[in-house]
Structures are given as C-alpha cells and as structure tokens.
Amino acid sequence: MTVLTLTDVSKSYRRTQVLRPISFELRPGELVALTGPSGSGKSTLLMIAGGWETPDTGSVTPGSLLPDVPLARMPWQHLGFVPQSIGLFDQLTVADNLALAARTGGNADLAKLLETLDLAKFADRLPTEISRGEQQRAAVGRALATAPTLVLADEPTSHQDRTHAEVVLARLRTAADEGAAVLVASHDPLLAAHTDRTISLTGAGH
C-alpha cells in the first residue's frame, strides 16, 4: 500500500536542472529522510510531492489512502506541510494557528500536541511574541493538527537547539508510527536515528 508514488520526476528552472529524474514510493507508517547538499533539489522535490510545483518530466500519483483530487487541492486533513518559511498567521495565537488547521478535519489532540512540542506555555502568545525556534515548532504542530495521511517537512529543525530538534523529530516519528507517511528534507544528523530509510540527492546524478 502506498500513499504517494513519484515516477521519474525532474525539474529545471531557466534551463538549469535543479532536480534530476528520481522515483520512489511513500508508504504509511514510515518516516523517510530526504538528504543532500544545498542545491540538490530537496525543497523542489517536496513542492512537487505536495502538488505546488509541476515536474518537467514524470508523474506524482496519490495512493488509495488519499482522496482522488489534485494534490495542490488536497485538504489539510490529508496533507500536512512544514515550510522553511514557517508561515504562521501573525494575528492568531499559537493555539489558534493549530486550531484553524484542525477545523478542516482530523482528530489530533491539540493540547497534547502543544505539550509534546514544548509549546503549551506559549499557546496564548502570538507568533511575534515567541522565538523563531518556537515558531517553527508551532508550524510542525499546525502540520500535524489534523493527523494527516501525508506529512512533508522542509528543514523542520533548522531553528532548533539539539534538545528541541529531538523533540521535533520524535513527534514526526510518532506521526509515522500512527500511520502517516512522513518525508523530511533535512541536513540534521539527528534525523538518522528516527528514520526508516533515506533518499539521497546529490545534485550531480542520483
């Protein structure tokens, strides 16, 4: 059973190939690391996997666990995304950012999610009132607020100290253990201890 299948997807910008053809499947219950140096196409691949970029070649096929709709229109209860830009709503509290996502469906325990991400004490604060690392953990919480089928995370520990990087990775591991397919693009060496397998991009042919 698969959640998502990518077949020979590639991408170029302005005649420069940023992602060479690659194929793989994402299955429920696994956390997959996406590694490679800067410029190897990790973020581009995540955007293609989520339906926000169209590959120049190849295809992206949702499995039977996802609705039969274009990926770019996939409801939040099926697709959770942690962008590098974080992208919280500044006018909403941390708790309300998670609650807004949760309104689309799903059954995640938001109080427990805030607690496990060490955010409970910041629940009533605005994003501008907390640190960048805390904002990033809130973005992880928002992505997981609906207990989605597919989770895509782009460098989700880049603003974390070692302790909180472990907190984030452990929570993503829990999401996989609960049945999600989780794809994490990261340079963080701590990720290896939490993953089921690794997809490596080299930028020079993978």
Side-chain angles (χ1 to χ4, degrees), residues 1-195:
M1 183 180 295
T2 63
V3 171
L4 199 68
T5 301
L6 291 84
T7 306
D8 293 327
V9 296
S10 69
K11 187 70 177 179
S12 296
Y13 297 109
R14 297 174 183 169
R15 300 183 182 180
T16 299
Q17 190 169 47
V18 296
L19 179 66
R20 295 182 179 274
I22 187 169
S23 301
F24 61 90
E25 294 180 343
L26 295 175
R27 297 181 287 270
E30 65 174 0
L31 192 158
V32 179
L34 182 62
T35 65
S38 297
S40 60
K42 297 188 300 297
S43 294
T44 298
L45 183 54
L46 287 182
M47 294 299 286
I48 290 172
W52 304 293
E53 288 278 4
T54 302
D56 295 333
T57 64
S59 62
V60 182
T61 308
S64 59
L65 296 177
L66 292 175
D68 187 18
V69 298
L71 277 165
R73 299 179 185 173
M74 193 66 63
W76 280 7
Q77 67 261 39
H78 295 287
L79 174 57
F81 182 51
V82 185
Q84 285 196 52
S85 61
I86 297 178
L88 298 174
F89 290 105
D90 287 340
Q91 69 272 30
L92 299 179
T93 65
V94 168
D96 285 344
N97 266 278
L98 272 65
L100 179 63
R103 286 176 197 150
T104 66
N107 58 0
D109 183 333
L110 299 188
K112 183 177 180 180
L113 190 53
L114 287 167
E115 186 66 36
T116 58
L117 288 168
D118 194 23
L119 289 171
K121 55 184 171 291
F122 306 118
D124 294 328
R125 296 190 189 180
L126 298 174
T128 54
E129 298 173 329
I130 59 178
S131 73
R132 190 69 169 170
E134 290 152 1
Q135 291 174 26
Q136 187 176 50
R137 296 202 304 281
V140 172
R142 179 186 56 190
L144 300 177
T146 61
T149 308
L150 174 63
V151 180
L152 305 172
D154 197 354
E155 298 288 354
T157 63
S158 59
H159 298 287
Q160 306 301 317
D161 57 32
R162 183 182 180 90
T163 296
H164 285 103
E166 287 284 4
V167 165
V168 168
L169 295 174
R171 190 58 190 80
L172 291 171
R173 177 69 257 176
T174 296
D177 292 341
E178 291 173 346
V182 183
L183 180 62
V184 181
S186 180
H187 292 95
D188 194 334
L190 298 176
L191 179 59
H194 298 270
T195 57

